[in-house]
Amino acid sequence: MDLDDQWLVSQYECFEKEIADLWQLSQDEFRDQVTEIAKNYLRPEISNELYNHAIEKCQQCIESAVSANHSNPHAHFQLGYYYQFGHGNLKVDLNKAKYHYEQAIQHHHYAAMYQICSIYDQLTPEVNGNHDVNNSIIPQSTIEKIDPSKLLSMKIKMLIKAAANGLHEKAIRDLRFHYLQHHEWTSAIDHFKAQFEEQIETAASKDTNIGEIYNNLGFLECFLEWCQVVEGDEGDEALVDFPQQAYDYFLKAGELGIPSGYMNYAFYRGYDINCVDHETDGIKNNYMIMAKYYLKAAQNGCAISWQKLYDVLKVEFKSSTSKRNLLQYAQNGLKYYRFSDILFSVANTIMTQNDVEVASFSQVIRYLEEAVVACHSYATDNLRNEFLYLGFMYEQGLGVQRDNAKAAHFYAWSITTQSESTLAVCRLAKLIEKRQLDPHDITHAVKFYESTMLLIKQDITSYAQYRLGNMFRSGQYKTIGMQPDMAEYHYDGTSNAMISLMLSGKATVAHIYHLAKMHAIGCMVDPVVEKAISLYRNTLAYFQDSDYLDRFYAIKARLQLEGIKICNRLDYKEETCLLQDELASLKLPSPSKLLMNTVDIVHKYQLLNIELNYRQPIYDKLLHELNSQPNASTYYHLGNLYFRGKTFQHYEPALAMEYLNKAHKMNYPLAKFDMLYLYGCKEKGDDDSLFYKITESAEESAEVELSIILDAAYQCDRRALPFIRKRLELFHAWKIAVANIIKRHKNDLASEDKIKSTSPANLARLYLELGFLIMVQNFDKDHISENIISEVKTLFEKADSYNSKNVDFFTGQLYELVDFSEQNSISHRAITCYERILDVNNLHLFSVIAKYYANEGSDGNHHHNHNIFDLLRQSHQLGFTDATGQLSMIYLDGRCGIAQNVERFIQLAEATLATSYNSDVDNAYLYHHLAFTYYHYSHVSDRFKRAAHFCALDINQQLNSGRTRCLIAKMLEKRCLSSDSVMDAIKVYVSALYLNDDLSGYIHYRLGKLRSNLKEIEIYNLSLAKKHFLRAYHYMTSAKTTDLINKCRDMYHLGRMFQYGYGIDRCITTAKEWYQKCLACKQNCANIFGCHHIIYYAGKAEKQLDNIEQNTLGHR
């Protein structure tokens, strides 16, 4: 037992004592009481409605299958399950349950094999008990009796098949229990094994059942070895020394047409003590074996293996597997089995998508609602988190009306239906603790938190102890025996657990967030604000491409960071009190709830038809070019579209490779790199239907990919560097491949014969590749040693002696590594190198250089501005998307001596988004500017819908979205969008206040206007309006920002406040002064990125000055 385990056991013993002292209960009594308490929060009518809908759907599926002369074994299985336990409007009927299970078993449904055995356990419960909810004891006479010996034989056969064909965890567990506890089971199982061995020896090779026998025998070999492991010695991974003969049997079964043999091979190899790779950095070799054989099993017809593959790839392969592929694998499994864990996998993957074509709250909720009433596959060890996530959706109001009672129901349902706790118990406890449920009993919250400790699970107990520490420390609950001095024990447990989880790489975003909070307030860790800030920033990274539970904690982290930033301001209390008043008026308990609620408000304006409206013409243009006069850019973009299956295209990897290859042959510099995505690897779990070519091993894959990467780098593609660095982190095979090429190049360059027989150009390339690979091989933790830098430079100098044009590019790559910083990812030294190699073959670097100078700012030099525009224009004409995006902003801002052209901006910006494929090119900045342009300048009939759509995309992808939130809030305020209530505008404005203090003055101004509008009686509140106007005036006049865009906006609205007397005394003279200051900003904005905002407000200020002048003349 390691130190972590010893500490957990110690914590467990302390918890036992706490439970006994506080509640005078034993462990078992306490556990039973917690379950009974949870039942108080159930709402049976919700469950019954979902069950009845599922029952009706099963019946319809069976009827449809019969009428089509097909079968639907899973519908039979699920309906049998509902009859077995009397769910929904069905009464318990074991005969009907047995009938439906038998129908499913006829088509080899492994879970039905287990459940038919459980029917007889339900009639005569045995020592091990039944793991499902048992509504009542059913009389023996209600089902046909079976002779005990025949029943035993039937059970063993069915359980072995369930385990061997579906890795059914309950079947394996029951077999093990009975084998170790009951002599008749031991003898019978040993007899079956001997029988299988005899059948293999005597069976003819053409016997169609021989494959199944091999599979069953392989399982029994592993099973009997596992039975030798003493309970409690397995640890988290249950590593066992499985016999080689079992693997031989599994592979033989697979070869004979039993695909579950490959699945078993993957599973048991993954947990074989001799196969588990403890030494390799990155993805372990045993996980690659698992991925390869789960994939092979799935491709050959073992449907549950798609889910096994999904789990391995999602957990162990992380970012190396695309979400598209993960979703495809889960959906493949769903075609055959609609188990709860597969349904949840689909829902969870959809939740992490930012793609408009996939993401949908309503779709997620449908999957989750089906999952909570579906049976688990028991082929995975996944907890039933669908209850947690569905409860969370109701708690936060995502895709549904916010309803804490319904949220509590799903959290409680989780507690009452499974033996292991999830975060659902903590979410329910927190609702009670925060008085969000009526009635509430604080002892229920305490008991729910405490119940998690009985499981000895760090990931859950760490959070529960954090909450208990807060409750004990508050001193509010002394009357129930919760003394403040016990807080230290709970905080100590929390910090130890969270630090352990972080060190082991198992920490979730929630753990990182709470550890940050403990550092911020000094709970059993040093109160270091800098450490807290660092951890909060780590948490922010989880907002993008994560599910909404992770995003929730990223939002909380952002709120904490903003709180740290403003807590030292003199007006901190006034601002906080006003925000609390707004939250109270909105009937929202916390800022995090508000921000999650605004996620839902905004999400409904993200519309697929808007996305298609601007994408389709661009795709039509590409197809027209293909049929008329295609160029390299045409082939490049079509290749990407066919690979990614965008909108009008299906996945066609062969066609994608054909077009990318044509683009490459026409010297399109980005095409070679993009070919990488068309190569897959079986050891990475890549399905050949999604790729152009599949390699067998990771080693072979690394060699193929590295060859492409070096070609791409030699074509001056900057994406090569981060790609190879990421691959070196993840795959040991890449380290081997890089080391091999380095060794080969060194040998070649040390051989006089080789040097004599090699052309100067190829010798230069050898030196450049060698330097490049040494550079990335030795880059460790954002650092590269001076010795390595010197060695690399020497190699580049040797390449330069052969007059290589690429030396400057590779030197620039070296400087990008050496000079790396989070603030500016590309250094001036690197840019200088890239400028020296600009020619017709390197036009894709133009946008990099132009972007650098645009971000650094310009001195207004006409020649310099013209060069930036010319570089971007040439890059755009060749189809480089990054350049197109930057060029669009020049047209919108009117920079670089170009007149403002809004229509051209929209055209180019939408083309950029439609043809953005690469994650390293971030064009999300265009969302806000498109939304702003459609709202303020466009005259198309659906301009508000388009503006709202781009606002929704921007807010969904980042937390630095204060200005975009203000824009969509203004559309809601002005009734430009369909909304149930103008209260939505209030919510979105207030959410922006929590995210960006640079906009505080403007937001308070808008809230003041809304709250003082008598036409909006629903939200009219003159007291709040006055406070908002005071805060607006304070922020706008005291802000020390150097951002001219913010200054210009505030000056204009100060003019409005004085002109119309909003919250202050009306004064036309002062209004004119502010308008004139706003107008003056236009003179100094010619080279500011995003200066179209200044042009917009300056134009409005000029109109107001004209109006004032006309009114003055009129009065004369």
mmCIF file of all heavy atoms in Angstrom, residues 714 749 753-767 799 802:
data_model
loop_
_atom_site.group_PDB
_atom_site.id
_atom_site.type_symbol
_atom_site.label_atom_id
_atom_site.label_comp_id
_atom_site.label_asym_id
_atom_site.label_seq_id
_atom_site.Cartn_x
_atom_site.Cartn_y
_atom_site.Cartn_z
ATOM 1 N N TYR A 714 10.379 21.997 -44.804
ATOM 2 C CA TYR A 714 11.264 22.447 -45.876
ATOM 3 C C TYR A 714 10.547 23.382 -46.839
ATOM 4 O O TYR A 714 11.182 24.154 -47.557
ATOM 5 C CB TYR A 714 11.843 21.249 -46.630
ATOM 6 C CG TYR A 714 13.164 21.556 -47.289
ATOM 7 C CD1 TYR A 714 14.309 21.775 -46.513
ATOM 8 C CD2 TYR A 714 13.268 21.657 -48.669
ATOM 9 C CE1 TYR A 714 15.525 22.079 -47.107
ATOM 10 C CE2 TYR A 714 14.484 21.960 -49.277
ATOM 11 C CZ TYR A 714 15.606 22.173 -48.486
ATOM 12 O OH TYR A 714 16.816 22.485 -49.074
ATOM 13 N N LEU A 749 26.347 12.489 -42.988
ATOM 14 C CA LEU A 749 27.194 13.677 -43.069
ATOM 15 C C LEU A 749 28.624 13.400 -42.607
ATOM 16 O O LEU A 749 29.526 14.210 -42.849
ATOM 17 C CB LEU A 749 26.578 14.811 -42.240
ATOM 18 C CG LEU A 749 25.265 15.368 -42.800
ATOM 19 C CD1 LEU A 749 24.591 16.295 -41.803
ATOM 20 C CD2 LEU A 749 25.512 16.105 -44.116
ATOM 21 N N ASP A 753 32.048 9.435 -48.745
ATOM 22 C CA ASP A 753 31.426 8.904 -49.963
ATOM 23 C C ASP A 753 30.013 9.450 -50.143
ATOM 24 O O ASP A 753 29.603 9.790 -51.258
ATOM 25 C CB ASP A 753 31.389 7.375 -49.908
ATOM 26 C CG ASP A 753 32.780 6.765 -50.007
ATOM 27 O OD1 ASP A 753 33.689 7.465 -50.491
ATOM 28 O OD2 ASP A 753 32.934 5.603 -49.576
ATOM 29 N N LYS A 754 29.277 9.521 -49.028
ATOM 30 C CA LYS A 754 27.909 10.027 -49.084
ATOM 31 C C LYS A 754 27.893 11.498 -49.478
ATOM 32 O O LYS A 754 27.065 11.933 -50.296
ATOM 33 C CB LYS A 754 27.217 9.831 -47.726
ATOM 34 C CG LYS A 754 25.761 10.238 -47.706
ATOM 35 C CD LYS A 754 24.900 9.260 -48.489
ATOM 36 C CE LYS A 754 23.427 9.602 -48.389
ATOM 37 N NZ LYS A 754 22.587 8.679 -49.172
ATOM 38 N N ILE A 755 28.799 12.263 -48.924
ATOM 39 C CA ILE A 755 28.858 13.696 -49.229
ATOM 40 C C ILE A 755 29.196 13.913 -50.698
ATOM 41 O O ILE A 755 28.605 14.771 -51.370
ATOM 42 C CB ILE A 755 29.900 14.392 -48.317
ATOM 43 C CG1 ILE A 755 29.382 14.422 -46.866
ATOM 44 C CG2 ILE A 755 30.195 15.805 -48.798
ATOM 45 C CD1 ILE A 755 30.358 14.985 -45.870
ATOM 46 N N LYS A 756 30.126 13.111 -51.222
ATOM 47 C CA LYS A 756 30.523 13.265 -52.621
ATOM 48 C C LYS A 756 29.388 12.921 -53.580
ATOM 49 O O LYS A 756 29.261 13.507 -54.661
ATOM 50 C CB LYS A 756 31.725 12.375 -52.911
ATOM 51 C CG LYS A 756 33.018 12.875 -52.278
ATOM 52 C CD LYS A 756 34.169 11.913 -52.575
ATOM 53 C CE LYS A 756 35.459 12.397 -51.922
ATOM 54 N NZ LYS A 756 36.589 11.441 -52.167
ATOM 55 N N SER A 757 28.553 11.935 -53.179
ATOM 56 C CA SER A 757 27.489 11.474 -54.076
ATOM 57 C C SER A 757 26.185 12.246 -53.910
ATOM 58 O O SER A 757 25.204 11.961 -54.604
ATOM 59 C CB SER A 757 27.222 9.983 -53.842
ATOM 60 O OG SER A 757 26.759 9.771 -52.509
ATOM 61 N N THR A 758 26.155 13.206 -52.998
ATOM 62 C CA THR A 758 24.933 13.963 -52.711
ATOM 63 C C THR A 758 25.039 15.368 -53.269
ATOM 64 O O THR A 758 26.091 16.015 -53.150
ATOM 65 C CB THR A 758 24.675 14.030 -51.194
ATOM 66 O OG1 THR A 758 24.660 12.709 -50.660
ATOM 67 C CG2 THR A 758 23.347 14.697 -50.895
ATOM 68 N N SER A 759 23.981 15.837 -53.871
ATOM 69 C CA SER A 759 23.976 17.186 -54.448
ATOM 70 C C SER A 759 24.055 18.231 -53.349
ATOM 71 O O SER A 759 23.653 17.981 -52.208
ATOM 72 C CB SER A 759 22.708 17.401 -55.269
ATOM 73 O OG SER A 759 21.581 17.451 -54.412
ATOM 74 N N PRO A 760 24.565 19.434 -53.669
ATOM 75 C CA PRO A 760 24.630 20.505 -52.665
ATOM 76 C C PRO A 760 23.274 20.826 -52.038
ATOM 77 O O PRO A 760 23.177 21.057 -50.837
ATOM 78 C CB PRO A 760 25.174 21.699 -53.459
ATOM 79 C CG PRO A 760 25.956 21.082 -54.564
ATOM 80 C CD PRO A 760 25.213 19.834 -54.929
ATOM 81 N N ALA A 761 22.231 20.821 -52.868
ATOM 82 C CA ALA A 761 20.891 21.136 -52.337
ATOM 83 C C ALA A 761 20.455 20.098 -51.317
ATOM 84 O O ALA A 761 19.901 20.441 -50.254
ATOM 85 C CB ALA A 761 19.881 21.208 -53.478
ATOM 86 N N ASN A 762 20.721 18.813 -51.604
ATOM 87 C CA ASN A 762 20.331 17.754 -50.660
ATOM 88 C C ASN A 762 21.200 17.743 -49.417
ATOM 89 O O ASN A 762 20.744 17.410 -48.328
ATOM 90 C CB ASN A 762 20.388 16.391 -51.356
ATOM 91 C CG ASN A 762 19.237 16.197 -52.332
ATOM 92 O OD1 ASN A 762 18.198 16.850 -52.202
ATOM 93 N ND2 ASN A 762 19.428 15.326 -53.307
ATOM 94 N N LEU A 763 22.490 18.113 -49.572
ATOM 95 C CA LEU A 763 23.349 18.233 -48.394
ATOM 96 C C LEU A 763 22.852 19.345 -47.479
ATOM 97 O O LEU A 763 22.812 19.193 -46.257
ATOM 98 C CB LEU A 763 24.796 18.510 -48.818
ATOM 99 C CG LEU A 763 25.629 17.308 -49.285
ATOM 100 C CD1 LEU A 763 26.970 17.767 -49.816
ATOM 101 C CD2 LEU A 763 25.807 16.312 -48.141
ATOM 102 N N ALA A 764 22.474 20.468 -48.085
ATOM 103 C CA ALA A 764 21.925 21.577 -47.292
ATOM 104 C C ALA A 764 20.683 21.123 -46.537
ATOM 105 O O ALA A 764 20.505 21.438 -45.353
ATOM 106 C CB ALA A 764 21.599 22.757 -48.195
ATOM 107 N N ARG A 765 19.842 20.356 -47.233
ATOM 108 C CA ARG A 765 18.623 19.877 -46.567
ATOM 109 C C ARG A 765 18.963 18.948 -45.402
ATOM 110 O O ARG A 765 18.310 18.999 -44.359
ATOM 111 C CB ARG A 765 17.716 19.171 -47.576
ATOM 112 C CG ARG A 765 16.463 18.613 -46.930
ATOM 113 C CD ARG A 765 15.396 18.251 -47.915
ATOM 114 N NE ARG A 765 14.242 17.695 -47.223
ATOM 115 C CZ ARG A 765 13.057 17.484 -47.777
ATOM 116 N NH1 ARG A 765 12.861 17.786 -49.059
ATOM 117 N NH2 ARG A 765 12.055 16.984 -47.068
ATOM 118 N N LEU A 766 19.956 18.084 -45.570
ATOM 119 C CA LEU A 766 20.360 17.198 -44.477
ATOM 120 C C LEU A 766 20.785 18.001 -43.253
ATOM 121 O O LEU A 766 20.398 17.685 -42.121
ATOM 122 C CB LEU A 766 21.507 16.292 -44.931
ATOM 123 C CG LEU A 766 21.160 15.098 -45.826
ATOM 124 C CD1 LEU A 766 22.419 14.387 -46.283
ATOM 125 C CD2 LEU A 766 20.254 14.118 -45.082
ATOM 126 N N TYR A 767 21.574 19.042 -43.470
ATOM 127 C CA TYR A 767 22.011 19.876 -42.346
ATOM 128 C C TYR A 767 20.833 20.585 -41.673
ATOM 129 O O TYR A 767 20.750 20.665 -40.442
ATOM 130 C CB TYR A 767 23.029 20.911 -42.828
ATOM 131 C CG TYR A 767 24.436 20.371 -42.984
ATOM 132 C CD1 TYR A 767 25.061 20.338 -44.234
ATOM 133 C CD2 TYR A 767 25.152 19.884 -41.882
ATOM 134 C CE1 TYR A 767 26.344 19.838 -44.387
ATOM 135 C CE2 TYR A 767 26.440 19.384 -42.027
ATOM 136 C CZ TYR A 767 27.029 19.356 -43.279
ATOM 137 O OH TYR A 767 28.303 18.861 -43.415
ATOM 138 N N ALA A 799 24.569 24.543 -43.755
ATOM 139 C CA ALA A 799 23.565 24.526 -44.831
ATOM 140 C C ALA A 799 23.659 25.795 -45.661
ATOM 141 O O ALA A 799 23.525 25.771 -46.895
ATOM 142 C CB ALA A 799 22.170 24.365 -44.238
ATOM 143 N N TYR A 802 25.983 26.069 -48.613
ATOM 144 C CA TYR A 802 25.535 25.481 -49.879
ATOM 145 C C TYR A 802 24.470 26.354 -50.549
ATOM 146 O O TYR A 802 23.743 25.904 -51.449
ATOM 147 C CB TYR A 802 24.971 24.086 -49.643
ATOM 148 C CG TYR A 802 26.011 23.078 -49.218
ATOM 149 C CD1 TYR A 802 26.186 22.765 -47.877
ATOM 150 C CD2 TYR A 802 26.839 22.465 -50.162
ATOM 151 C CE1 TYR A 802 27.160 21.848 -47.479
ATOM 152 C CE2 TYR A 802 27.808 21.545 -49.770
ATOM 153 C CZ TYR A 802 27.967 21.242 -48.427
ATOM 154 O OH TYR A 802 28.924 20.342 -48.031
#
